[in-house]
Amino acid sequence: GGDSTSGHALWPTAVAHIPSEGLGDELPATHDTESVAEKAAEFPFEGLDAADDVLEASARTQDEGTKVMDERLLECFLQALKTQLKKTDIPLLTSTFYRSYMLEQCPTSQKLDIKKSSYKKLSRFLAV
């Protein structure tokens, strides 16, 4: 249209109609003065000890899995350097080294997955 508001004719009218009543300098309180500790004391926490135990066991298992993967990653890295990589193979991309050399060193009964290690990325592992 022939409007001079560059295509957003509704915007100026919408802004002009926003009510400003009740918007003072102070924000309304969103909670009462009762402390979190007082509210927590009223809440029945029965059965949460068992849930905490499950979470802790899960975290320990995850930590152990990460540790195992870190050890496997280092073992495959060192084995690939020692047995497969030749001076004539260098330079090569780190992704190629991981895929073609390190994964080849992992026993077939095991899986090498950098994302399940504490490093998460090959670049972090190689930087150590």
Side-chain angles (χ1 to χ4, degrees):
D3 196 279
S4 63
T5 58
S6 70
H8 297 296
L10 292 178
W11 182 251
T13 58
V15 172
H17 296 295
I18 294 176
S20 60
E21 294 175 8
L23 297 178
D25 291 336
E26 294 182 30
L27 293 174
T30 56
H31 56 83
D32 56 11
T33 57
E34 190 176 10
S35 75
V36 173
E38 290 170 338
K39 286 186 179 186
E42 296 172 7
F43 188 81
F45 287 107
E46 297 170 13
L48 289 183
D49 289 338
D52 286 343
D53 292 344
V54 169
L55 288 174
E56 286 176 18
S58 174
R60 275 195 308 274
T61 303
Q62 196 171 28
D63 288 345
E64 290 169 7
T66 300
K67 231 182 230 186
V68 167
M69 193 58 67
D70 285 355
E71 291 170 3
R72 189 175 302 155
L73 189 63
L74 180 61
E75 182 181 322
C76 292
F77 172 77
L78 294 174
Q79 194 68 21
L81 286 179
K82 184 177 178 182
T83 62
Q84 284 191 316
L85 193 65
K86 300 175 192 121
K87 287 183 181 181
T88 56
D89 295 336
I90 299 173
L92 80 151
L93 296 172
T94 56
S95 58
T96 303
F97 177 72
Y98 178 75
R99 184 180 62 251
S100 299
Y101 293 87
M102 290 179 64
L103 289 178
E104 293 293 321
Q105 293 303 313
C106 190
T108 55
S109 63
Q110 298 174 344
K111 185 177 180 184
L112 183 62
D113 187 353
I114 192 112
K115 291 181 181 178
K116 291 184 180 176
S117 73
S118 64
Y119 302 102
K120 306 296 181 207
K121 293 182 177 183
L122 185 60
S123 59
R124 288 185 189 149
F125 171 75
L126 294 174
V128 178

